[in-house]
Amino acid sequence: MEQEKVISIFGSITVDELATLLDIPVTKLIGELFKNGVVATINQRIDFETATIIVEELGLPVKLEKKDAAKDVVHHKHIPSANAITRPPIVAVMGHVDHGKTTLLDTLLDKKTALSEAGGITQHISAYQVRHNDRLITFLDTPGHEAFAAIRQHGAQLTDIVVIVVAADDGVKPQTVEAINFARDANAKIIVAINKIDKEAADVNRVMAQLATDYGLNPEEWGGDTIMVPISAKANQNLDKLLDMILLVADIEELKADVKIPAEGLVIESHLETGKGAVANLLVEQGLLEVGDFVVVGTVYGKIRTLADDRGKPIRQAGPSAPVAATGFKDVPQFGDKFTVVKNEKVAKKLAGKTAVDLVKSAAMTNITSSDMLRMISHKHDMKDFRVVVKADVLGSLTSVIDNLKLIDTKDEISVSVIGSGVGNVNENDVYLSDEGTIIYGFNVEVATTIKRLAAQRKVQIKIFKVIYELLDDAKTEMSKLLDPEIIETEVGTLKVKGVFKVTKELLIAGGEITKGKITASSLCRAVHNKADLAKDLEVIGLQKEKQDVKELIEGEMGGVSLKTSKKVPLEIDDRLVFYTREVKQRSLQ
């Protein structure tokens, strides 16, 4: 009996982490979760009980143990004091791809970004502020393409209100449903913007009925509690009403924040920029963030060197709900991490170091035995290795690309190995890290001519993309080349043996009646006695009919066949010779 492996985890674990610990493809784990009614993404955390049930359902020789997390550092949500001031609402704009989210923001902000996005798809999370009735509203523009689920989930967790954009001519789509679920998970208020009402095929009532019947979002007009505003982002129709409704919900929620405390907030994007180093787009939740502040973000710290608002204008400080671009970090912070202002660099460095130690301590512990290791090595040996280096312009996109590469269904035959990754252009180190067969995938980055020349010398492919699903399609094509081809055998004819004329180690000559199909000189043959195979893959080297050589024999004809063999075949009268063709077909992951 195989020894049971014990895995210790804390109260929750991400789907990707659990799949790695169980040594199974993450797609298999997501499928098992789905069968048990849990719709999860690769980065979504599942609780200990759910993980235990799934391990049992998979029938793996694994036991999960709950690790004591009492000493874990947790971030407590700050409760505003009596001195707190009203802050602008933070609004995430979500919905299905091409339903008009970015066009809506473009119209509100009078800026045209939709056409500049690769493929017309928003590929980063961005934050902007709009002034309406002398009040500010902070908007998050989140990607609509399925590959950016992780970024969208962070977007929902940042927000007070989620505006779900649904096209009046298209209705509810998969990412619409995903946005509804994210908003509910984040306890954010939902406002539905029914867009494209200027189109001929628009049907507002159909969309409202769909949302009410299938997803429990009942319009206020029908006695429900969900605000739905028909709009046309392109024609600037009813956008003032949408903004009025956002401020109304904000007033009802009484959104407040303290300013006379150390600033805190979240990283909503991060990247490297020439001349500036690490740049983090931050969303301030409370306090005043100022130039010169010492900030800790997870394992990264720094002193704020510059701040810029959402329009790129330099500023000295930023208050609650304000999106800012900050420089001065020692490294690129992780998007979704919390930032905190501390009193000096010594404290900042100490806290960042402590967080790094805590992360190591909180990693899941396993008691992998030598037999486990041998099994894993054997399993890896059976699989083909698809090695990649991934570079992207920002950390959020880098995470999405890597996660989605892992999610490609490789039929348990290919192991996707990300041997290197990072933010910034493809460089010399990326090429030296790679060997022949490795592909360097770049997303929204550039490659210098000298780097291209070096890659060519080392026979390393560099592929640059601006749209993530094109990158993933290319990865599927490249992985397909590693799949073992499919061997397809097709029976073409059967001969019932009436006579056996010669049997040697290398030759078999027999004659009989073709009872089915036809035989050609290019066929292979299987000798069958009482449904059992006597020999396989015998090669046809000659056909005869009435003592004349022929190219084929068809059903109903009598004839003789000469077969090349590798051993003596004990063929008898009334046995059958079954003829077939064999085709090698390249398989695909598409």
Side-chain angles (χ1 to χ4, degrees):
M1 183 176 176
E2 190 173 352
Q3 183 181 351
E4 189 174 63
K5 181 170 67 176
V6 178
I7 297 177
S8 299
I9 64 174
F10 287 90
S12 66
I13 188 170
T14 69
V15 174
D16 188 32
E17 289 167 348
L18 183 59
T20 301
L21 290 172
L22 297 177
D23 191 31
I24 61 173
V26 70
T27 48
K28 183 176 181 179
L29 182 57
I30 288 174
E32 193 64 36
L33 284 163
F34 184 77
K35 284 194 289 185
N36 283 271
V38 180
V39 181
T41 60
I42 189 171
N43 289 312
Q44 192 163 326
R45 301 194 77 83
I46 55 176
D47 59 32
F48 178 81
E49 288 73 21
T50 301
T52 302
I53 292 169
I54 294 304
V55 168
E56 290 175 355
E57 290 287 329
L58 288 167
L60 299 173
V62 171
K63 180 182 177 183
L64 294 185
E65 284 187 347
K66 198 167 187 177
K67 191 174 176 67
D68 182 16
K71 296 181 180 179
D72 255 23
V73 177
V74 295
H75 293 295
H76 297 285
K77 191 170 180 65
H78 179 77
I79 299 173
S81 70
N83 298 320
I85 63 170
T86 300
R87 64 171 176 82
I90 299 171
V91 183
V93 183
M94 294 184 166
H96 195 70
V97 63
D98 199 34
H99 276 202
K101 301 178 305 301
T102 305
T103 303
L104 169 60
L105 282 166
D106 285 344
T107 306
L108 291 173
L109 301 166
D110 192 29
K111 58 198 289 292
K112 304 299 179 188
T113 59
L115 294 178
S116 65
E117 294 280 4
I121 299 170
T122 308
Q123 315 225 29
H124 300 144
I125 192 168
S126 301
Y128 314 97
Q129 285 196 314
V130 172
R131 186 171 292 277
H132 180 67
N133 293 341
D134 290 327
R135 294 173 63 182
L136 287 171
I137 301 171
T138 300
F139 281 99
L140 297 178
D141 177 19
T142 64
H145 189 268
E146 63 183 358
F148 289 87
I151 296 180
R152 283 205 304 285
Q153 190 161 10
H154 278 290
Q157 291 167 353
L158 297 173
T159 53
D160 308 305
I161 300 168
V162 174
V163 172
I164 297 175
V165 181
V166 187
D169 62 336
D170 202 16
V172 176
K173 294 294 179 182
Q175 284 149 20
T176 316
V177 179
E178 190 182 67
I180 293 170
N181 292 335
F182 283 161
R184 284 173 170 162
D185 288 345
N187 293 318
K189 295 298 177 182
I190 294 175
I191 295 175
V192 179
I194 304 176
N195 193 25
K196 304 188 181 183
I197 59 172
D198 54 319
K199 286 205 166 186
E200 190 175 336
D203 189 340
V204 173
N205 286 330
R206 179 176 67 89
V207 174
M208 292 169 71
Q210 227 181 339
L211 291 167
T213 304
D214 299 337
Y215 306 102
L217 296 178
N218 295 303
E220 283 189 332
E221 293 91 328
W222 297 357
D225 58 1
T226 303
I227 296 172
M228 297 190 185
V229 185
I231 67 166
S232 170
K234 191 175 181 180
N236 199 358
Q237 187 176 347
N238 274 356
L239 298 196
D240 282 344
K241 183 179 178 182
L242 176 62
L243 296 175
D244 288 339
M245 292 299 102
I246 289 171
L247 291 176
L248 175 63
V249 171
D251 289 339
I252 294 171
E253 293 298 303
E254 296 183 343
L255 303 173
K256 292 180 178 292
D258 285 300
V259 291
K260 294 183 178 179
I261 60 172
E264 290 185 4
L266 288 164
V267 178
I268 57 176
E269 193 51 271
S270 58
H271 61 279
L272 284 172
E273 195 169 317
T274 304
K276 292 184 178 180
V279 179
N281 292 342
L282 309 175
L283 188 62
V284 182
E285 291 184 305
Q286 59 191 355
L288 287 177
L289 181 65
E290 299 181 281
V291 172
D293 281 345
F294 290 96
V295 179
V296 180
V297 191
T299 60
V300 177
Y301 72 97
K303 181 180 181 180
I304 301 296
R305 189 167 69 245
T306 64
L307 289 174
D309 65 14
D310 58 309
R311 307 296 176 110
K313 179 183 175 183
I315 55 175
R316 297 295 301 175
Q317 65 177 26
S321 301
V324 291
T327 65
F329 296 97
K330 300 289 185 182
D331 202 351
V332 180
Q334 293 284 334
F335 87 104
D337 274 0
K338 195 175 187 73
F339 76 81
T340 307
V341 169
V342 296
K343 63 180 181 180
N344 56 42
E345 185 173 15
K346 184 178 179 181
V347 174
K349 189 174 182 178
K350 182 179 179 181
L351 283 175
K354 183 178 184 301
T355 302
V357 172
D358 288 342
L359 285 174
V360 173
K361 286 182 178 179
S362 66
M365 305 296 292
T366 64
N367 64 334
I368 298 177
T369 64
S370 57
S371 61
D372 290 328
M373 190 61 70
L374 286 172
R375 179 180 56 79
M376 291 167 67
I377 292 170
S378 174
H379 177 62
K380 291 294 183 185
H381 181 72
D382 293 339
M383 299 178 76
K384 304 289 178 62
D385 195 24
F386 180 64
R387 300 183 308 282
V388 296
V389 172
V390 182
K391 299 299 292 286
D393 55 341
V394 295
L395 202 55
S397 295
L398 182 69
T399 303
S400 291
V401 171
I402 292 173
D403 286 350
N404 281 277
L405 282 171
K406 290 181 180 180
L407 279 172
I408 294 174
D409 183 4
T410 62
K411 307 183 188 298
D412 294 350
E413 296 176 49
I414 300 171
S415 172
V416 179
S417 299
V418 182
I419 62 173
S421 64
V423 173
N425 292 333
V426 178
N427 57 42
E428 195 174 82
N429 289 337
D430 299 322
V431 179
Y432 282 122
L433 182 65
S434 310
D435 55 12
E436 187 176 349
T438 300
I439 297 177
I440 299 175
Y441 279 115
F443 183 69
N444 278 332
V445 296
E446 297 177 352
V447 188
T449 304
T450 52
I451 303 300
K452 290 179 182 176
R453 194 178 299 120
L454 177 64
Q457 291 170 357
R458 293 179 59 84
K459 297 181 180 179
V460 173
Q461 293 187 71
I462 299 178
K463 298 189 175 187
I464 306 298
F465 295 90
K466 291 186 177 295
V467 179
I468 191 170
Y469 57 76
E470 292 179 358
L471 184 155
L472 297 175
D473 284 345
D474 184 85
K476 288 178 187 177
T477 300
E478 292 295 335
M479 287 187 219
S480 295
K481 296 175 183 177
L482 299 178
L483 290 172
D484 290 330
E486 182 179 5
I487 307 299
I488 301 173
E489 289 187 359
T490 306
E491 287 191 9
V492 294
T494 304
L495 180 146
K496 186 173 182 180
V497 178
K498 299 293 186 181
V500 180
F501 307 117
K502 188 173 184 178
V503 178
T504 68
K505 185 179 177 181
E506 297 178 344
L507 184 64
L508 170 62
I509 300 175
E513 179 185 1
I514 311 302
T515 58
K516 182 180 177 182
K518 69 176 181 178
I519 304 169
T520 64
S522 60
S523 303
L524 295 172
C525 176
R526 183 170 68 249
V528 182
H529 175 77
N530 290 337
K531 297 184 179 180
D533 287 348
L534 297 173
K536 293 182 67 176
D537 294 344
L538 307 177
E539 184 181 344
V540 177
I541 56 176
L543 295 174
Q544 281 197 339
K545 177 183 175 183
E546 298 175 353
K547 297 184 179 181
Q548 296 291 321
D549 291 337
V550 294
K551 291 184 178 180
E552 66 177 24
L553 293 170
I554 62 174
E555 188 173 336
E557 292 183 340
M558 298 290 291
V561 58
S562 297
L563 301 171
K564 184 179 179 181
T565 62
S566 58
K567 65 178 182 178
K568 195 171 182 179
V569 181
L571 192 69
E572 299 176 4
I573 293 173
D574 290 334
D575 285 348
R576 289 180 300 121
L577 295 177
V578 178
F579 296 85
Y580 55 91
T581 59
R582 180 175 288 155
E583 177 187 1
V584 178
K585 183 180 179 183
Q586 181 61 49
R587 293 154 64 211
S588 172
L589 292 174
Q590 299 293 346

